[in-house]
Amino acid sequence: MKKVKSLVLAGLLAFAPALGLNGHALAQDNAVAAAPAAANAAAPAESANAAEAAPAATVAAPPRMKPTEGIGMPRPGEFTLQEQFTSTGHTARWLHDKMLIPLIFAISIFVLILMLYAMWKFRRSANPIPSKTAHNTMIEVIWTVLPVVILLVVAVPSIGLLADQYKPAPKDAVVVKVTGYQWYWGYEYPDNGIPEFVSNMLPEDKAKANGEPYLLAPDNRLVLPAGRPIKLIITGADVIHAFAVPSLWVKMDAVPGRLNEKSFTIDKPGVYYGQCSELCGARHGFMPIAIEALPPAQFDQWVLSQGGKPAGAAAAEKTADAAPAAPAADKKI
């Protein structure tokens, strides 16, 4: 019996260190398992305290601008071009109203007078024997040289206008990608970090409630700054569309698989309306365009309200990204 007790006692003494180590390890495992739970329990409280200490800064968008009757839209009974609000638009309207229309009117009246004179002078009753005259050198020189002079006079400002229309935008221009869809528009501001949003036509009741012309008013406008150069990159997603705003002298095809560019500067703030100007399907006449030109400060406010970055911040980031990394200083031993 004493021998049995001695053996049991010896076995307990032999296994005592192992049991002690296992118990310590088990306690460590329990502590490690409890630590994440305690951290997770404390995390919401810390997040709440941080949120209370530093609330997220939000910027409200400027109020939606009201359109002005007759500005940026067609007027009842209007027979000339809409009032223009870009430099190329001013040149085009001057060329149309001050040069081409008077010239066309004068030539039409002159040709009408010649026709009436010839019908009266060379009528059969007054000239029973028809004239045998075949050539008149002076008249042939005049009707050859005069049209050439007229075409040269028209060509000089026309070529200048064409060159201005396709002049590349400066580096600091506000860039917007415009995509035509069946049947709505999509706008994206890549340099400002604003993702694409779509623009659909408003129903008649909502357009009238907003004080906007029906068939020209969309829910989301293309917001641009007045007084700053703008570059539109225009493309199509499905078929050919055409982005056209007459009062800004802007019209460019939106072709799938191709990026077309249009640059301009809007003279003053306002709302300017346009429409798709290319037959693109059943709802071609129901994809309007509305450009809301804001003062530069309000445009920057709008960019911030959309979660984007104003021009200055975006340019600074670009410069920082483009700057080469400074070489590491040599360590002296």
Side-chain angles (χ1 to χ4, degrees):
M1 190 67 181
K2 287 182 180 181
K3 289 182 179 180
V4 174
K5 287 182 180 181
S6 299
L7 290 172
V8 171
L9 212 58
L12 290 173
L13 289 173
F15 286 102
L19 289 173
L21 288 174
N22 290 340
H24 182 67
L26 185 61
Q28 283 186 339
D29 291 342
N30 292 336
V32 170
N40 291 336
E46 290 178 1
S47 301
N49 293 336
E52 290 177 2
T58 57
V59 177
R64 187 179 177 97
M65 185 178 290
K66 294 290 184 183
T68 303
E69 184 68 28
I71 301 297
M73 65 181 80
R75 299 178 180 179
E78 191 172 39
F79 60 88
T80 183
L81 302 176
Q82 292 184 26
E83 186 177 353
Q84 298 297 307
F85 295 92
T86 60
S87 59
T88 52
H90 294 312
T91 303
R93 186 169 182 179
W94 174 85
L95 181 64
H96 178 269
D97 292 352
K98 306 299 182 183
M99 179 176 287
L100 295 181
I101 292 298
L103 192 59
I104 292 169
F105 182 78
I107 292 174
S108 301
I109 295 299
F110 177 68
V111 171
L112 178 62
I113 292 173
L114 285 181
M115 289 178 61
L116 293 175
Y117 175 77
M119 292 166 63
W120 174 79
K121 179 70 175 177
F122 301 105
R123 65 190 188 277
R124 182 174 182 179
S125 59
N127 295 274
I129 301 175
S131 173
K132 302 295 184 180
T133 304
H135 298 283
N136 188 309
T137 304
M138 181 58 66
I139 292 178
E140 290 181 358
V141 169
I142 290 173
W143 73 35
T144 302
V145 173
L146 187 58
V148 172
V149 172
I150 293 173
L151 290 176
L152 287 175
V153 170
V154 174
V156 172
S158 299
I159 293 173
L161 176 61
L162 286 173
D164 290 341
Q165 288 182 149
Y166 293 97
K167 187 181 295 182
K171 292 183 178 180
D172 61 343
V174 176
V175 179
V176 181
K177 183 182 178 183
V178 178
T179 306
Y181 299 93
Q182 288 184 311
W183 289 272
Y184 56 93
W185 295 98
Y187 305 124
E188 179 184 354
Y189 298 70
D191 289 351
N192 298 106
I194 300 177
E196 185 181 54
F197 59 90
V198 298
S199 176
N200 287 285
M201 189 183 76
L202 284 175
E204 186 173 4
D205 55 343
K206 291 187 177 180
K208 290 182 178 178
N210 289 346
E212 299 186 67
Y214 177 52
L215 299 179
L216 291 178
D219 51 2
N220 294 315
R221 296 170 175 172
L222 172 58
V223 180
L224 297 174
R228 288 183 187 172
I230 296 158
K231 179 169 76 172
L232 300 183
I233 300 174
I234 303 170
T235 187
D238 31 52
V239 297
I240 299 177
H241 304 272
F243 186 86
V245 184
S247 59
L248 301 179
W249 201 252
V250 171
K251 185 178 184 294
M252 181 60 69
D253 284 347
V255 183
R258 178 178 296 180
L259 298 177
N260 291 330
E261 182 179 316
K262 189 68 177 176
S263 61
F264 55 95
T265 301
I266 303 174
D267 292 343
K268 67 178 187 177
V271 182
Y272 306 97
Y273 293 101
Q275 288 177 307
C276 175
S277 296
E278 184 72 37
L279 290 174
C280 58
R283 292 186 58 81
H284 155 70
F286 303 100
M287 47 185 304
I289 302 162
I291 292 180
E292 183 173 344
L294 296 174
Q298 290 189 21
F299 174 75
D300 291 341
Q301 178 186 350
W302 178 84
V303 170
L304 290 172
S305 71
Q306 303 301 308
K309 299 172 185 176
E317 283 194 1
K318 277 188 176 181
T319 305
D321 293 340
D330 294 336
K331 294 182 179 180
K332 294 182 180 180
I333 300 174

